[in-house]
Amino acid sequence: MTEETKTIFRGDRSANIIMAICELYGVSLEKATDIFYKSETSELIDDGVADLHCRSPRYLAQCVWDEYLESNSERQA
């Protein structure tokens, strides 16, 4: 697989996760994109850690959302 192909697959995977965040949690596309790209989960997916890239977009959206909620609760405490 070429680097160009890998980049396309990563972009498609990210887009699907971002859309799942929008659908599951009713946030705007802009906010979902921001949440996703600021998450540690997105970095782990890119790094291929724990085969996260093999998980469904909905599962990964839930992981990203849980991380987002946890980081916001720590800021408010």
Side-chain angles (χ1 to χ4, degrees):
M1 185 179 298
T2 67
E3 284 303 312
E4 184 178 346
T5 305
K6 289 179 185 178
T7 301
I8 291 168
F9 280 128
R10 267 186 295 217
D12 188 49
R13 167 62 74 187
S14 298
N16 289 334
I17 296 167
I18 291 166
M19 289 306 299
I21 293 169
C22 291
E23 293 168 4
L24 290 169
Y25 304 106
V27 298
S28 69
L29 182 59
E30 182 179 348
K31 182 169 178 131
T33 302
D34 190 49
I35 290 168
F36 176 73
Y37 283 111
K38 288 183 178 179
S39 71
E40 285 184 38
T41 304
S42 70
E43 293 177 30
L44 295 174
I45 294 166
D46 276 347
D47 293 341
V49 173
D51 291 331
L52 287 174
H53 61 282
C54 296
R55 305 287 180 158
S56 75
R58 290 177 66 87
Y59 173 85
L60 294 169
Q62 291 169 339
C63 292
V64 170
W65 188 258
D66 290 345
E67 182 182 330
Y68 169 72
L69 291 178
E70 185 177 312
S71 69
N72 279 341
S73 69
E74 288 173 0
R75 288 183 198 150
Q76 293 176 2

